[in-house]
Amino acid sequence: GINAEYGRCLKFKNRAERNGCTLQNKCPLDECSDGLQMDYRGETSTTAGGLTCQKWTDQEPHQHTRTPANYPSSGLGDHNYCRNPDNESGGAWCYTTKPAKRWDYCGIKQCS
């Protein structure tokens, strides 16, 4: 059932190990990520300060080179979820939709 499946999800350490988990997008590990959070694949799309993230495929309001083509294994795509494609020391981040604020960290908590 759902509870057993959810419990099984909890045991996996990363998304690659959760490929067989039908609830993988709802696993709590998507809401936290350790270290530099380069493997974070959750769906948080706002910064720690509450700003909406810009899609990685958009070049407005901020032009950038952190694109899915330039960082193919970093989880970027046609979405605005927080990621860390370039080893930023503060973890997952995003460009914002606010012209005056280019980017910010997302405040994804550490799992451990």
Side-chain angles (χ1 to χ4, degrees):
I2 295 273
N3 288 339
E5 181 70 11
Y6 194 81
R8 195 166 69 79
C9 290
L10 286 172
K11 295 176 185 169
F12 299 124
K13 291 185 173 56
N14 61 49
R15 179 169 291 274
E17 293 175 345
R18 292 200 311 266
N19 281 340
C21 176
T22 57
L23 295 176
Q24 72 184 41
N25 290 330
K26 294 181 175 28
C27 289
L29 286 171
D30 281 344
E31 299 313 315
C32 66
S33 184
D34 287 329
L36 294 179
Q37 302 180 333
M38 293 189 66
D39 62 347
Y40 175 71
R41 296 297 183 268
E43 296 183 1
T44 296
S45 59
T46 54
T47 68
L51 298 176
T52 300
C53 293
Q54 171 181 313
K55 277 186 170 187
W56 295 100
T57 50
D58 288 351
Q59 292 292 324
E60 292 180 2
H62 305 290
Q63 289 191 343
H64 63 90
T65 58
R66 273 44 168 210
T67 62
N70 290 342
Y71 293 83
S73 299
S74 57
L76 305 183
D78 189 27
H79 60 72
N80 67 339
Y81 305 142
C82 300
R83 297 290 184 260
N84 189 4
D86 57 355
N87 268 328
E88 278 295 328
S89 62
W93 61 277
C94 68
Y95 294 104
T96 81
T97 56
K98 184 177 181 178
K101 180 74 171 172
R102 182 167 171 80
W103 71 276
D104 202 1
Y105 291 113
C106 294
I108 306 299
K109 63 185 179 232
Q110 297 287 316
C111 296
S112 52

